[in-house]
Amino acid sequence: MKEKIKAWLFERWQQNRGACLGCSAGAILAIAILLFGFWRTFFVVLCGSVGLYLGRKSDRDPEFFGRLADDFLDRLNRLR
């Protein structure tokens, strides 16, 4: 019985990877909302999304954070 369930799950994973990940993410999000509340969960998801965005931007452009720091320091110097 255990092997049949394992084989069935593996087959579903191979055929519908996106649906499996989406279902899992939805279930985790729903549990987080029930345990912690909507706004706290929203804040964590928002921070994770910003981190993902910055990480992907950094992967595509290795000089991204260097330019970001240079721009920030230039703006600080202009305020003086």
Side-chain angles (χ1 to χ4, degrees), residues 59-79:
D59 285 344
R60 290 186 188 123
D61 182 10
E63 298 296 320
F64 172 70
F65 286 115
R67 277 198 319 273
L68 193 65
D70 290 341
D71 291 345
F72 179 72
L73 292 174
D74 287 342
R75 288 181 189 198
L76 279 178
N77 286 333
R78 278 188 253 150
L79 291 175

Side-chain angles (χ1 to χ4, degrees), residues 21-36:
L21 289 174
C23 183
S24 299
I28 291 170
L29 184 63
I31 291 169
I33 288 172
L34 289 173
L35 290 176
F36 306 116

Side-chain angles (χ1 to χ4, degrees), residues 33-47:
I33 288 172
L34 289 173
L35 290 176
F36 306 116
F38 176 78
W39 291 111
R40 288 181 180 173
T41 302
F42 178 77
F43 178 72
V44 170
V45 170
L46 180 68
C47 289

